[in-house]
Amino acid sequence: MYAQLWCLCLAAVSALAADSPTLFNECLVPGDKKSAAETALLKRLEPLKNKRFEVTDTDGPDTYTYTLVICNRTLEDAKSTNEGLVQINKATSKTSVIGRINDTYVFNGSDWIMLVYRSGDPYGGHCDNEPRKAMIMISCNKNTLGDGFTIISEERNKSQDCFYLFEMDSSVACPIEDSHLSVGSVLLIVFAVLLALYIIGGFVYQRFVVGAKGIEQFPNITFWQELGNLVADGCDFVCRSRARSSETAYRGVGDDQLGEEPEERDDHLLPM
Ligand SMILES: *[C@@H]1O[C@H](CO)[C@@H](O)[C@H](O)[C@H]1NC(C)=O
Ligand SMILES: *[C@@H]1O[C@H](CO)[C@@H](O)[C@H](O)[C@H]1NC(C)=O
C-alpha cells in the first residue's frame, strides 16, 4: 500500500518536473552573465515563449514577412542559428536573420519592455555591412498576452548602428500590481454586504409580509432592542462597577484637586 502511494507520488513529481524546464528562457545576454534585472525581465517575457508573431510589410518595392519569437528559435534546433527575428522576401524567398537570441539586450520602463536582438545577418551594402539588429518595443496592454506586432521602420541609411524597429502589445509589459485587497478588507466588504442584505431584506419582509409600520419594520426589532438593553446593562456594569468600588480611594486622593466640585455631581448616573 505504502509502496503504491510512493510510486504515485514519484510519478506526480516527475510529471511536474517535465512540465517546467529548467531553462526558462533561451535568451542570452552578451557575456552570458545576466544581471538580476535582466533575469527578472526575461522571466516576465516567458509566457510569450511559444508564440510566433508575424507581420507583412508591403511599404517598399519588395514585400517582406517578419517573424518574431520571444527568447525562442523560429526553426527547429538542428537548422537553427539562434534566430529570434527573421525577414523573408515574399518574391525571392530569401531569408535574412535580423537578430539572434544569443545576443539579447533587454531593459524596461514603467509600462514597456525593450527587447533587442543583435548579431543578425550582415547587411549587403548598407551600414558598412554590419550585422543586422532588431529592436522590439513591447508596450503594456492588459487585454492581450501578445498582439499587434508591427514594423515601425528600418533605419539603414547611415554608416553604422542601423536597426529594424518593431512594436507590439503585451500584458507582460504592464507594471506589476500589488494593490490586491487584503483579507481584512474583503471580510469587511462581505460583512457590510450581508448587513445591508439583512436590513433591506428584513425591512421588505416586515413591511410587505408581516405588514409592520414605523420602527417595527426594522428586522427582528424586539431582539435588537433586547440586545441593546443587554449591552447597556453590560456597559453599565463594566463601566461603573470600578468607579463604585474604588469611590472612597479616589475621593481620598482627589479631594483637594477636585476643589469645590459638588460630591453629588455623579449621583444621577447611579442606577436607581
Ligand atoms: C549566436 O549563435 C550563432 C549561430 O549559432 C553564432 O554564429 C554566433 O557566434 C552566436 N553569437 C554570440 C554572440 O554568441
Ligand atoms: C522593470 O522591471 C523590473 C523587473 O520586472 C521591475 O522590478 C521594475 O519596477 C521595472 N522598472 C520600472 C521603471 O517600472
Side-chain angles (χ1 to χ4, degrees), residues 24-25 27 38-50 70-71 104-107 113-115 117 138 145 168 170 172-173:
F24 68 80
N25 215 305
C27 275
E38 282 171 330
T39 308
L41 270 179
L42 292 177
K43 186 99 192 137
R44 273 169 70 185
L45 292 175
E46 203 186 7
L48 299 171
K49 189 176 163 180
N50 292 317
I70 305 228
C71 297
T104 300
Y105 285 71
V106 66
F107 45 91
I113 297 174
M114 180 69 101
L115 181 66
Y117 290 150
I138 307 171
L145 179 57
M168 61 175 284
S170 173
V172 302

Side-chain angles (χ1 to χ4, degrees), residues 46-222:
E46 203 186 7
L48 299 171
K49 189 176 163 180
N50 292 317
K51 290 185 165 286
R52 289 169 85 92
F53 302 99
E54 262 184 28
V55 64
T56 302
D57 181 21
T58 50
D59 283 358
D62 294 313
T63 299
Y64 294 107
T65 300
Y66 295 90
T67 304
L68 164 71
V69 287
I70 305 228
C71 297
N72 207 343
R73 299 171 176 85
T74 62
L75 303 169
E76 319 84 84
D77 280 347
K79 289 187 219 149
S80 169
T81 60
N82 288 317
E83 66 291 322
L85 207 159
V86 293
Q87 175 201 59
I88 298 173
N89 185 320
K90 260 263 167 75
T92 65
S93 291
K94 183 178 179 289
T95 302
S96 310
V97 176
I98 309 294
R100 292 194 156 81
I101 62 173
N102 60 347
D103 196 2
T104 300
Y105 285 71
V106 66
F107 45 91
N108 66 315
S110 53
D111 62 353
W112 52 268
I113 297 174
M114 180 69 101
L115 181 66
V116 183
Y117 290 150
R118 311 207 307 179
S119 292
D121 291 343
Y123 282 95
H126 295 278
C127 306
D128 208 12
N129 295 335
E130 68 176 3
R132 288 179 171 85
K133 179 167 69 185
M135 295 193 168
I136 305 121
M137 174 85 170
I138 307 171
S139 304
C140 163
N141 182 340
K142 285 200 172 71
N143 303 321
T144 177
L145 179 57
D147 204 3
F149 175 57
T150 40
I151 178 161
I152 309 259
S153 62
E154 182 195 345
E155 172 59 277
R156 62 175 193 186
N157 296 317
K158 44 187 202 167
S159 57
Q160 67 180 80
D161 277 326
C162 300
F163 58 88
Y164 291 73
L165 183 60
F166 301 86
E167 71 176 359
M168 61 175 284
D169 291 336
S170 173
S171 54
V172 302
C174 293
I176 300 144
E177 283 176 31
D178 47 13
S179 64
H180 290 301
L181 288 175
S182 70
V183 178
S185 37
V186 169
L187 283 180
L188 216 70
I189 291 169
V190 167
F191 179 74
V193 168
L194 287 181
L195 190 72
L197 277 180
Y198 169 73
I199 292 177
I200 295 168
F203 188 87
V204 168
Y205 179 80
Q206 292 290 330
R207 189 186 178 95
F208 297 108
V209 180
V210 180
K213 294 260 176 311
I215 187 95
E216 298 295 325
Q217 291 172 84
F218 197 84
N220 303 86
I221 184 70
T222 27

